[in-house]
Amino acid sequence: MEYAMKMEHLTKDFGSFVLKDVSMAIPGGTILGLIGENGAGKSTAIKCLLGILRPDSGSVELLEGEGLTAVGYVPDECPFAGVLKVKQVGAFCAGLFPGWEEDLFAHYLQKFDLSSGKKVKELSRGMKMKLTIAVALSHRPKLLVLDEATSGLDPVVRDEILDEFLSFIQDEDHAILISSHITSDLEKICDYVVYLHKGQVTISGAKDELLDTYGKLNCTRSDLLRVDPKLIVGKREGEYGCQALINDRAVFQRAYPDLPLDTPTLEDLMIFTTRGDRE
Amino acid sequence: MRGFLRRDWFLMLPNLRFCGVFCGLLLLATQFVSLTGPLDFAVLFLVLLGLNGIQSLFLCDGMNGWQAYAAAAPRGRGAMVDARYLFALGETLLLTGGVLLVSVLRWKGLPLWSAGFYGSTLLITLAVTLPIYCRWGGTRGKLVSVILTFTLLGVMGGLSAGVLESAREDLAQGALRGEVRGFFAAAALALPLLGLGCLALSWRLSRRIMQKKEF
């Protein structure tokens, strides 16, 4: 499988918000992280991908024509009613998803320490999310789509879930699309990153390449004034010094060898791009 | 569709248990006392409970973002509607069976045709309200469907009030007059067919709504 998902020139106009010309692709055996501020269009892009929303233009191809049958979806909120018991969720999901494996569901329940006799409303947010992930994994999907699935979870649960994703991706036929505000999580596991800002793709590419291309400058105000503004994506000026995100590390280092650059984080990319846009 | 149907069943189990207990008490009561007035209300209450059950399913869908999740399942949009209609049909059959049982078991004030009458009323009301719920969801659909339901029930009640009144007088004397008996025989035959026809049209409309709907 070359691509688990290919989205091309996707546009969705809500009037007050437009998701504009979004393209991205997830090669098999990789994880793509979708980052962006609140309201940037991450959930809209995911909903268009899954057919929950109808795009105005553009195309989406899932699993080379296999469609939704091999997609596991984990929304930001547990979709199962509180009055249902965990075992009832398993019972009806068996009829929803072709390829459902009862034993696999039981395995994940045990692994995530979920009691089958408990009602969904008795579970904590972390446990509810684990249940949704267990359901998504129990029909052996090839593409796992997670929309803010780790938000609001404590670091221990998040780490546990991220480990599960890493073991899922060991199979080269598998791929993950994950959107999150928590860029540190994505930095741990993602191979590719797409940064959506105001409904448009602002940055996209292989994570390591991006972090190598961009640089974070910590300097004085007078040093910052020397830097060519074309190289600056965004800047933060404080009382004791300045920070700036540089868009081309190689060019910058040739032009200003006396100014050292740090490796930025995904959060830096997000924050400075937003700041640069405002300025 | 099997999965959606099972989910609806699990969600409705507490309501069905309550209905079962209620019907049991009703049947028990008919064995000992004449409950003409209260039973009229009780059967109407069961019809409303049936409507409320379907409405609570849509409310539940809305609270958990279920429809968006279901739309992302393979063939989820169509199956979601199919299951809900099958459930509505099953619920109507259950209610009709219940009323039939009550009317067979000694209650003089509730003739046999009333099972068909109440069942059809529920069927027609569901046919009107289900597309509204599919389009606007449980919360917003509730208001529209309450207005429509009561208008519909009012019209049906108004049309049959006169005939029902004369039927009651006849029943008290032990037999229905020819023209009254004819009206109810025709209604008992036509209403279920009308109800099923309405539900079939309503199902096609809801499927179309759900295919186009965005969540």
Side-chain angles (χ1 to χ4, degrees):
Chain A
M1 181 173 63
E2 197 186 353
Y3 289 106
M5 186 280 290
K6 215 172 182 179
M7 183 184 278
E8 285 180 330
H9 310 295
L10 197 97
T11 297
K12 177 75 186 169
D13 191 349
F14 290 104
S16 56
F17 171 78
V18 185
L19 186 74
K20 205 172 174 185
D21 198 26
V22 172
S23 299
M24 61 178 105
I26 314 174
T30 64
I31 302 179
L32 185 142
L34 195 56
I35 59 172
E37 67 277 9
N38 286 330
K42 303 185 295 291
S43 293
T44 304
I46 286 179
K47 284 181 173 180
C48 286
L49 161 78
L50 295 169
I52 298 170
L53 287 173
R54 311 278 190 212
D56 297 328
S57 63
S59 64
V60 174
E61 194 190 350
L62 281 173
L63 301 158
E64 291 170 357
E66 270 188 74
L68 291 170
T69 46
V71 176
Y73 172 45
V74 182
D76 55 345
E77 290 290 335
C78 176
F80 309 118
V83 292
L84 295 169
K85 287 182 179 168
V86 170
K87 63 181 171 195
Q88 288 177 327
V89 170
F92 75 76
C93 283
L96 288 187
F97 303 107
W100 179 268
E101 289 183 27
E102 202 55 57
D103 294 343
L104 193 59
F105 182 63
H107 160 79
Y108 281 117
L109 290 190
Q110 200 175 16
K111 189 170 187 177
F112 292 151
D113 209 16
L114 285 159
S115 162
S116 61
K118 267 198 172 180
K119 284 187 176 174
V120 173
K121 66 181 171 192
E122 292 166 357
L123 304 174
S124 65
R125 179 173 155 77
M127 296 303 259
K128 280 181 189 168
M129 208 36 81
K130 282 181 180 179
L131 172 64
T132 317
I133 291 168
V135 168
L137 290 171
S138 295
H139 60 99
R140 293 209 181 277
K142 288 182 181 168
L143 173 64
L144 201 55
V145 179
L146 304 114
D147 188 4
E148 301 283 0
T150 55
S151 307
L153 303 183
D154 68 66
V156 178
V157 176
R158 271 186 4 233
D159 203 53
E160 213 178 322
I161 288 173
L162 294 181
D163 279 348
E164 199 51 52
F165 296 160
L166 287 173
S167 75
F168 174 79
I169 212 72
Q170 295 309 308
D171 187 331
E172 284 212 354
D173 261 359
H174 289 174
I176 297 179
L177 169 64
I178 177 169
S179 84
S180 182
H181 293 108
I182 307 168
T183 48
S184 58
D185 284 353
L186 299 186
E187 215 158 308
K188 275 185 208 166
I189 60 166
C190 284
D191 302 296
Y192 295 91
V193 173
V194 170
Y195 172 38
L196 276 177
H197 178 55
K198 291 184 177 171
Q200 283 180 292
V201 175
T202 308
I203 298 169
S204 85
K207 181 192 72 187
D208 294 338
E209 277 177 29
L210 284 175
L211 297 182
D212 282 347
T213 306
Y214 287 84
K216 189 179 173 186
L217 175 67
N218 289 296
C219 61
T220 60
R221 189 166 295 184
S222 57
D223 284 336
L224 189 63
L225 288 171
R226 281 166 50 207
V227 178
D228 180 358
K230 283 179 192 163
L231 287 170
I232 299 173
V233 177
K235 62 188 178 193
R236 180 192 284 148
E237 291 177 57
E239 208 175 322
Y240 303 105
C242 300
Q243 291 182 320
L245 184 73
I246 303 300
N247 59 21
D248 194 327
R249 179 189 283 259
V251 171
F252 181 89
Q253 281 177 334
R254 276 198 299 275
Y256 311 98
D258 57 319
L259 296 177
L261 284 180
D262 294 329
T263 303
T265 60
L266 289 178
E267 192 170 305
D268 291 329
L269 293 190
M270 258 177 75
I271 292 170
F272 283 103
T273 306
T274 312
R275 275 177 167 264
D277 188 56
R278 280 187 198 143
E279 284 158 11
Chain B
M1 186 183 64
R2 199 166 46 93
F4 289 101
L5 207 53
R6 285 192 95 170
R7 174 183 177 270
D8 285 359
W9 171 254
F10 288 140
L11 286 173
M12 286 296 284
L13 264 179
N15 279 23
L16 288 171
R17 279 197 202 108
F18 173 74
C19 264
V21 172
F22 183 79
C23 286
L25 289 174
L26 206 67
L27 282 173
L28 196 67
T30 56
Q31 300 302 307
F32 300 106
V33 282
S34 171
L35 290 168
T36 309
L39 269 176
D40 253 344
F41 171 75
V43 174
L44 191 65
F45 178 72
L46 278 178
V47 174
L48 292 175
L49 208 65
L51 285 172
N52 187 56
I54 292 287
Q55 180 203 314
S56 68
L57 286 177
F58 280 98
L59 280 172
C60 197
D61 290 353
M63 275 192 287
N64 300 286
W66 170 255
Q67 288 192 345
Y69 183 74
R75 290 179 293 281
R77 287 173 183 261
M80 199 176 355
V81 174
D82 295 352
R84 203 54 50 99
Y85 272 76
L86 208 60
F87 195 87
L89 201 62
E91 193 184 58
T92 309
L93 284 175
L94 204 68
L95 174 96
T96 310
V99 179
L100 200 65
L101 197 66
V102 174
S103 42
V104 166
L105 291 171
R106 281 182 36 178
W107 183 49
K108 287 177 187 169
L110 197 67
L112 283 175
W113 49 258
S114 59
F117 183 78
Y118 282 112
S120 307
T121 307
L122 181 59
L123 218 52
I124 293 167
T125 318
L126 285 171
V128 174
T129 53
L130 279 171
I132 295 168
Y133 284 128
C134 284
R135 174 66 184 83
W136 285 292
T139 316
R140 278 196 288 171
K142 190 176 169 181
L143 184 69
V144 185
S145 68
V146 163
I147 294 167
L148 269 173
T149 305
F150 281 100
T151 309
L152 188 75
L153 287 176
V155 169
M156 287 179 77
L159 285 173
S160 55
V163 190
L164 271 171
E165 201 48 49
S166 28
R168 281 203 191 292
E169 285 164 16
D170 289 354
L171 280 166
Q173 286 163 15
L176 283 171
R177 275 200 310 271
E179 71 271 23
V180 179
R181 197 187 301 138
F183 171 82
F184 283 114
L189 195 71
L191 275 177
L193 290 176
L194 181 72
L196 285 171
C198 288
L199 200 70
L201 283 175
S202 162
W203 168 70
R204 289 192 67 172
L205 179 65
S206 293
R207 255 186 159 253
R208 197 171 294 176
I209 289 169
M210 205 52 96
Q211 291 300 340
K212 285 183 183 171
K213 192 172 176 180
E214 295 192 317
F215 305 94

